[in-house]
Amino acid sequence: MSEKHSYVGKNLQRTDVLDKVTGRGKFTADLKFSNMLYGKLIYSTHAHARILNIDTSEAEKLPGIKAIITAKDVPSIRYGLSPARYDENIFCIDTVKFYGDKIGAVCAIDEDTVYEALKLIKVEYEALPAVFTPAEAAAEGAPQIFEEYPRNLNTEIHQHFGDCDKAQEEAYYVRTDRFQGQRTIHGVIEPHCTIAYWEGKRVIVHAAHQSVHYLQHHLARILGMKEGDIRVITPYVGGGFGGKLDVSGLDISAIILSKITGQPVKMAYDLEEVWLNGRGRHGMDMEYTTGVTKEGKILFVKNEIVIDGGAYTGLGIASAYYAGALLTVLYNFDNYKFDAYRYVTNLPPCGAQRGHGQPHPRYAFESHLDHIAEDLGIDPIEIRIINARKSGDVTPNGYELKSYFLKEANELARDASGWKDKKGKMAKGRGIGVGNGGFVSGAGFCQYRTDLPHSIAMIKVYDDGSHAIVYTNAVDIGQGSDTVLRQMAAEGMGYPYDDISIVSHDTDLATLDFGAYASRQTLMAGWAVKRAGEDVKRKILEMAAEMIKVKEDGGYRSGKLMPEELDCREGIVFMKQEPAVKITFAEVARAYFVKNGLLIGRGYYHPGKLGGQHKGAAVGTSPAYSSATQVSEVTVDEETGMVKVLNTWDVHDSGVAINPNLLHGQVHGAFAMGIGETLWEKVMFDEKGKLLNGNYAEYRLPTALDMPPVHSMILDTFEPNGPYGAKEVGEGATTPTLGCVANAVYDATGARVSSLPLTPEKVWRAMKEKREREEK
Amino acid sequence: MLKFVTDKDGVKRYLVSLKVNGNEYTRMVKANSLLVNFLREELDLTGTKKACEQADCGACTVLLDGKPVNSCMILTINADGREVITVEGLATNGKLDILQEKFIEHSAPQCGYCTPGILMSAKALLNRNPHPTEYEVREAIAGNLCRCTGYVNYVKAILDAAENQ
């Protein structure tokens, strides 16, 4: 046991993998309950309209129909994420606000009957004028979607630090660029599904969701119930990426329909409904004005972002703040002016999606920074190194970076990719680009106001010491939290990894955790399970100190041992000075049970008070920040504008990797999502606000043929605020890609496409315009 | 011609017999019964996943007479007399298929929703081409969408399985 850790840092087998390769693992849609009914939501077929009448009489006559509910049958409460923006009803009252807005729900004995019924429900509308872009929403005389958002302005942010105007006067060079980011969708393969049934006054909810606690919390508020009367269980979740974090119409309707019918009710989205209600990435118009010294040191940044929010707010309030908050984490400058305007429009609402609010701004700023570097004649990686923040920095907006190695990430990406031999020396049509990114390792504040710990864990040991179970409501949505949490629990406890199992995401069985979002499980739930493990170990060592007999003539010690003289690794308690003096964990555990009863360990984590005092200071706070640099090589076909990504080097400063294989897996997936969003993906609507491409034929996710080799590399860093030195990777890994690939395309063509995605048409036109400019 | 009965509403139900994972099943199904629903609802073989239901994502891939098909696009009546293998049929007598072993070894699945479909596409590939190139592996699973993994470890695992089968 000379190694520092037994399980941390090891590529141990995924906890869920056998279930997943044999097909026996159950996702929500795979569950069946006796007497179960099937339900669907009733959707608006107008982008903005007054509901004049809903006639369900024909549908109700259909044999097999059990219940049809609309706004008149449910509480008229409004909900959302932030109390100032509770703007959504269970079902539309009076008006519908987007094509796909929910106006009711139906349940029946089988799916066929439900679809029959949906065809028979007649809704009369009076169409209202609609707005589909922030510009239309803000225009003089534009229709008002909500009374409380004058001119449809839903969120306005003004965060100003230092003195940008003064810095602008002093700057050697100032440049302004504008970029557009498109609406995208998470692209989960498992459509959302919820099953609910009642047991007396309690309701049991099985849902494909990223946070059992938040779902329980929000449902309790919406339904006027106590949290303890709602049990939320999450079976295996087929991907989240932010799309399964808002409470959905499925969750609420399944509960209400089950109450009415007295039977379990299963509700699921079809794929198109995932687009309508899944709450993907916001479209953004971004303008950056940056001033630098002659050497390329950033003096100030003015950042204005206009955001298309869609019909409701939900998590979108946080997206708006995140859009500007984290730029100061990457680069070292004191003068920052961030202004943002999130408008409501008559399109599906947007929310959180991997990298929450910042992949588009990363694309924009990383592109902008390359232009500045080019104008000054500085190498793009060099300008990033010059400006990179470092460990110990505190940003002007109040974030403290305990460990931060963006400079080193740039250096490694540069060296590993052979940047110096390639940049500016590549064949025609080929290019190389760099992009930086990173993210919070968990949000510093809960979604709602509370002083509860962010994560609590418990470990229960079997009475013969042969097995232990770690309990946590961290949610494994595929990222592998069950595995790394078992690793950290086993490490903390000094107990064999193979003998510790996990019970997670069930509010009745496991313990409070806020769930899988803001890339928080490894750090926050990690602290809780580590501490629970250490609590068990403390109890075991105290007991063992009474049990271990040391020979009087042993030469080193006599009499009773102190617990501090002992340690426990891999299920063996031993004397630190004399490891041959040992006893098994199991023996000690059994003795503990005889003397004290149940052996459990408890741990919890609270990040403490973080951040500054300005309005919105909470968003972007975190105990730890990751950083990442990516370098990619592309080819661009001059005839067609088609981009192919050839190779990528992806360097991550994620602290200590608890399970390197799983970390690299996150990087691979994040990169795939990133190139999809850079090159192909865009949610599209017709002129009436109707979704055009809610399917995987017309919304192009990257396939296996689109993926280049990914060289994922981990910097050897340690985060003091992370358990075993770990910080995040899952979300941050997406953020460098958009700017990186866009910069590589620019390098290949000399023509900047300033809106995402970089479709062949846009790239081809940009090259053509460049040629025409040069010919003049 | 399949035998059928007509119910009181005039809807026909057809008698189908098919072999699934080595077992014979005989059932009455409506003409519009989809193989994916038949497997999941009638036979409780929920390892085969449903996602797009329009043959874009490959989550419901099964082997029909050895060929990989999207079971959301196959009518159950068209599977009459034929042989279906689902993910549950990959392991034999409790021993995992080499592909399953390698998927475990390479931590290939993440959320796992696309995994059964990718396994079946890969199985069909190795059956027809025991020594595929990397490009052939990518081509074989190009109809299976995955949002978590970038396919990196799936491709590695399939190549490793091919080498060690």
Side-chain angles (χ1 to χ4, degrees):
Chain A
M1 286 183 217
S2 55
E3 281 183 275
K4 193 174 167 204
H5 297 305
S6 299
Y7 309 113
V8 161
K10 302 282 162 65
N11 291 318
L12 299 176
Q13 183 178 311
R14 282 187 72 102
T15 302
D16 51 3
V17 73
L18 195 58
D19 278 359
K20 287 177 176 175
V21 301
T22 54
R24 76 177 182 213
K26 296 282 188 193
F27 294 78
T28 307
D30 300 334
L31 302 178
K32 264 188 194 175
F33 294 91
S34 115
N35 217 17
M36 189 167 80
L37 301 172
Y38 298 82
K40 293 294 286 182
L41 294 171
I42 306 166
Y43 294 110
S44 153
T45 52
H46 281 259
H48 196 197
R50 192 164 287 120
I51 301 173
L52 299 177
N53 186 44
I54 305 174
D55 179 4
T56 59
S57 57
E58 285 303 306
E60 275 161 25
K61 288 180 202 157
L62 209 61
I65 285 290
K66 293 292 178 179
I68 301 176
I69 52 174
T70 59
K72 67 180 177 8
D73 306 303
V74 299
S76 57
I77 190 166
R78 298 176 100 194
Y79 64 92
L81 180 79
S82 116
R85 289 173 188 78
Y86 284 159
D87 53 20
E88 189 166 2
N89 287 111
I90 298 174
F91 299 129
C92 296
I93 302 171
D94 302 329
T95 62
V96 295
K97 296 181 173 61
F98 71 98
Y99 198 113
D101 213 350
K102 54 195 191 312
I103 57 181
V106 183
C107 73
I109 54 166
D110 56 35
E111 277 185 300
D112 287 355
T113 310
V114 176
Y115 284 113
E116 276 303 304
L118 288 174
K119 283 189 246 167
L120 297 172
I121 293 167
K122 303 211 167 30
V123 185
E124 269 181 71
Y125 298 98
E126 177 198 337
L128 298 171
V131 294
F132 300 121
T133 63
E136 288 173 19
E140 195 72 48
Q144 280 284 297
I145 305 176
F146 292 89
E147 266 177 33
E148 64 265 42
Y149 305 142
R151 301 190 72 158
N152 299 310
L153 184 57
N154 158 267
T155 303
E156 193 173 349
I157 302 169
H158 302 288
Q159 296 183 336
H160 301 170
F161 307 95
D163 190 339
C164 282
D165 292 336
K166 184 161 169 282
Q168 187 155 1
E169 282 168 21
E170 291 164 5
Y172 169 77
Y173 180 68
V174 176
R175 182 180 168 117
T176 299
D177 286 300
R178 287 173 202 87
F179 300 90
Q180 271 187 335
Q182 81 283 37
R183 277 176 174 251
T184 60
I185 195 78
H186 314 85
V188 291
I189 310 299
E190 178 209 27
H192 305 53
C193 181
T194 303
I195 300 169
Y197 52 90
W198 289 74
E199 287 179 352
K201 66 167 186 163
R202 300 188 81 211
V203 66
I204 319 300
V205 182
H206 297 260
H209 210 271
Q210 294 175 227
S211 169
V212 288
H213 175 71
Y214 283 152
L215 183 55
Q216 181 189 41
H217 175 83
H218 291 302
L219 285 173
R221 187 188 159 269
I222 294 164
L223 298 166
M225 294 173 68
K226 289 186 283 190
E227 283 185 17
D229 285 341
I230 302 171
R231 176 180 182 185
V232 178
I233 304 168
T234 293
Y236 285 129
V237 181
F241 312 115
K244 291 172 180 166
L245 189 54
D246 275 295
V247 55
S248 79
L250 302 180
D251 307 319
I252 306 169
S253 303
I255 292 171
I256 295 173
L257 287 168
S258 174
K259 179 85 174 175
I260 292 170
T261 60
Q263 292 175 241
V265 175
K266 179 183 210 166
M267 307 272 305
Y269 285 149
D270 296 343
L271 203 60
E272 191 176 58
E273 296 164 352
V274 175
W275 264 258
L276 294 174
N277 292 281
R279 311 204 168 193
R281 205 181 295 299
H282 292 70
M284 292 185 185
D285 288 339
M286 300 158 286
E287 183 182 293
Y288 286 89
T289 299
T290 298
V292 292
T293 66
K294 198 173 179 182
E295 294 74 33
K297 177 84 192 66
I298 299 171
L299 296 176
F300 76 94
V301 178
K302 292 180 182 174
N303 176 10
E304 187 176 293
I305 303 187
V306 177
I307 304 167
D308 163 20
Y312 299 108
T313 312
L315 287 156
I317 172 83
S319 324
Y321 278 99
Y322 268 122
L326 298 182
L327 178 64
T328 57
V329 172
L330 282 103
Y331 301 119
N332 189 347
F333 57 93
D334 296 329
N335 306 298
Y336 184 42
K337 185 169 180 293
F338 168 48
D339 300 292
Y341 307 87
R342 183 184 190 272
Y343 288 93
V344 283
T345 58
N346 293 112
L347 291 175
C350 299
Q353 185 170 326
R354 200 174 200 166
H356 203 177
Q358 62 138 9
H360 287 343
R362 282 284 67 70
Y363 149 72
F365 191 82
E366 292 299 303
S367 302
H368 174 59
L369 193 56
D370 261 31
H371 286 315
I372 293 170
E374 187 182 28
D375 294 348
L376 294 178
I378 302 175
D379 177 81
I381 291 187
E382 198 48 41
I383 200 168
R384 286 169 171 81
I385 289 174
I386 291 169
N387 288 290
R389 283 211 178 271
K390 59 182 192 313
S391 305
D393 280 4
V394 179
T395 71
N397 47 351
Y399 312 141
E400 194 179 345
L401 317 180
K402 282 282 186 198
S403 76
Y404 201 75
F405 297 93
L406 183 59
K407 173 174 169 279
E408 290 76 3
N410 273 276
E411 288 166 348
L412 180 54
R414 177 193 65 200
D415 297 345
S417 65
W419 174 272
K420 285 179 178 167
D421 299 328
K422 291 175 180 168
K423 176 67 182 168
K425 298 165 191 162
M426 299 181 93
K428 196 162 178 279
R430 280 179 85 124
I432 190 165
V434 62
N436 284 338
F439 203 54
V440 299
S441 305
F445 291 80
C446 179
Q447 271 193 4
Y448 60 92
R449 279 181 198 280
T450 181
D451 49 8
L452 284 168
H454 289 212
S455 188
I456 296 175
M458 178 176 83
I459 295 174
K460 188 177 85 174
V461 181
Y462 269 55
D463 48 53
D464 66 351
S466 66
H467 194 80
I469 305 170
V470 55
Y471 296 84
T472 167
N473 273 328
V475 181
D476 196 327
I477 55 174
Q479 86 282 42
S481 59
D482 278 356
T483 307
V484 297
L485 295 176
R486 273 176 69 211
Q487 287 180 252
M488 286 187 272
E491 191 72 54
M493 202 172 148
Y495 192 73
Y497 172 80
D498 288 337
D499 292 331
I500 190 162
S501 52
I502 186 163
V503 171
S504 53
H505 32 93
D506 178 332
T507 56
D508 266 16
L509 298 183
T511 50
L512 176 74
D513 182 274
F514 295 156
Y517 73 102
S519 231
R520 61 182 292 286
Q521 302 280 216
T522 298
L523 188 141
M524 297 201 175
W527 270 125
V529 300
K530 175 179 189 280
R531 288 170 176 168
E534 288 164 351
D535 191 35
V536 175
K537 190 194 229 181
R538 183 180 57 74
K539 291 171 178 167
I540 284 289
L541 298 187
E542 276 173 16
M543 188 74 218
E546 294 176 21
M547 294 168 72
I548 293 181
K549 303 278 186 291
V550 180
K551 281 185 214 152
E552 298 241 354
D553 58 354
Y556 48 88
R557 187 74 174 81
S558 66
K560 189 175 170 294
L561 286 167
M562 300 301 288
E564 301 77 53
E565 293 174 88
L566 302 173
D567 197 4
C568 181
R569 290 278 295 265
E570 301 173 28
I572 305 291
V573 182
F574 57 93
M575 212 176 145
K576 285 187 220 169
Q577 275 194 324
E578 193 64 38
V581 178
K582 61 187 177 187
I583 183 169
T584 65
F585 179 100
E587 281 176 85
V588 183
R590 194 176 181 290
Y592 183 97
F593 269 86
V594 171
K595 189 178 172 201
N596 303 299
L598 182 62
L599 173 55
I600 58 165
R602 304 190 303 177
Y604 68 94
Y605 175 74
H606 194 296
K609 176 80 183 81
L610 295 170
Q613 297 298 321
H614 56 281
K615 186 162 188 276
V619 180
T621 56
S622 180
Y625 297 84
S626 69
S627 67
T629 300
Q630 208 170 73
V631 169
S632 291
E633 263 181 67
V634 302
T635 55
V636 180
D637 185 328
E638 214 174 323
E639 298 291 315
T640 63
M642 199 93 114
V643 176
K644 186 160 176 54
V645 184
L646 299 176
N647 223 330
T648 194
W649 295 266
D650 215 332
V651 181
H652 290 269
D653 156 30
S654 290
V656 171
I658 305 298
N659 186 319
N661 265 354
L662 299 197
L663 187 152
H664 291 305
Q666 289 291 296
V667 172
H668 301 151
F671 178 73
M673 189 181 269
I675 59 169
E677 293 192 61
T678 314
L679 298 176
W680 304 296
E681 297 177 29
K682 183 183 184 180
V683 183
M684 294 165 81
F685 303 92
D686 72 8
E687 70 284 357
K688 289 184 169 170
K690 187 182 176 196
L691 176 66
L692 284 174
N693 60 343
N695 59 71
Y696 289 130
E698 292 158 299
Y699 183 96
R700 259 272 272 128
L701 298 192
T703 72
L705 288 168
D706 299 313
M707 279 295 289
V710 182
H711 308 283
S712 171
M713 290 169 278
I714 309 171
L715 283 179
D716 184 14
T717 64
F718 184 92
E719 168 56 49
N721 275 350
Y724 299 106
K727 47 187 181 179
E728 81 87 38
V729 71
E731 294 200 57
T734 304
T735 61
T737 308
L738 291 75
C740 171
V741 173
N743 283 337
V745 172
Y746 177 72
D747 187 51
T749 61
R752 175 65 69 179
V753 178
S754 57
S755 71
L756 294 172
L758 309 184
T759 60
E761 182 184 340
K762 283 195 233 169
V763 173
W764 182 84
R765 284 188 191 285
M767 288 191 291
K768 180 167 171 277
E769 282 160 19
K770 179 176 176 273
R771 267 200 313 276
E772 287 167 358
R773 269 198 313 274
E774 286 166 354
E775 280 162 15
K776 271 184 196 164
Chain B
M1 191 62 188
L2 290 172
K3 285 183 187 162
F4 61 86
V5 294
T6 308
D7 71 14
K8 63 177 171 45
D9 299 322
V11 178
K12 292 190 178 79
R13 282 180 173 70
Y14 296 86
L15 187 71
V16 294
S17 292
L18 60 162
K19 195 187 250 186
V20 180
N21 300 333
N23 304 313
E24 288 284 352
Y25 295 92
T26 300
R27 294 286 191 278
M28 301 295 295
V29 299
K30 283 204 246 181
N32 65 358
S33 160
L34 298 172
L35 183 59
V36 63
N37 291 336
F38 179 81
L39 294 169
R40 290 173 53 84
E41 305 297 330
E42 282 290 325
L43 306 187
D44 263 332
L45 295 169
T46 54
T48 301
K49 300 302 176 201
K50 241 166 85 161
C52 75
E53 301 181 72
Q54 42 197 301
D56 292 327
C57 77
C60 65
T61 305
V62 300
L63 303 188
L64 184 62
D65 291 339
K67 290 201 173 119
V69 295
N70 289 306
S71 60
C72 70
M73 288 290 122
I74 303 287
L75 293 172
T76 310
I77 52 174
N78 287 342
D80 180 64
R82 301 170 76 176
E83 181 168 7
V84 177
I85 307 285
T86 71
V87 67
E88 290 92 344
L90 276 182
T92 43
N93 301 325
K95 181 162 176 10
L96 296 180
D97 186 89
I98 182 79
L99 280 163
Q100 292 171 308
E101 282 177 15
K102 293 299 175 185
F103 275 36
I104 292 173
E105 200 179 308
H106 290 268
S107 291
Q110 288 184 28
C111 88
Y113 206 77
C114 69
T115 307
I118 292 186
L119 276 168
M120 301 321 289
S121 291
K123 183 72 185 168
L125 169 71
L126 297 193
N127 282 347
R128 68 177 182 264
N129 177 4
H131 302 290
T133 62
E134 181 180 331
Y135 182 83
E136 287 167 337
V137 169
R138 290 182 179 278
E139 198 177 36
I141 63 166
N144 297 91
L145 295 177
C146 168
R147 192 58 150 176
C148 297
T149 68
Y151 312 95
V152 176
N153 291 344
Y154 282 128
V155 172
K156 277 187 202 160
I158 296 166
L159 287 168
D160 193 1
E163 259 177 49
N164 291 287
Q165 62 192 335

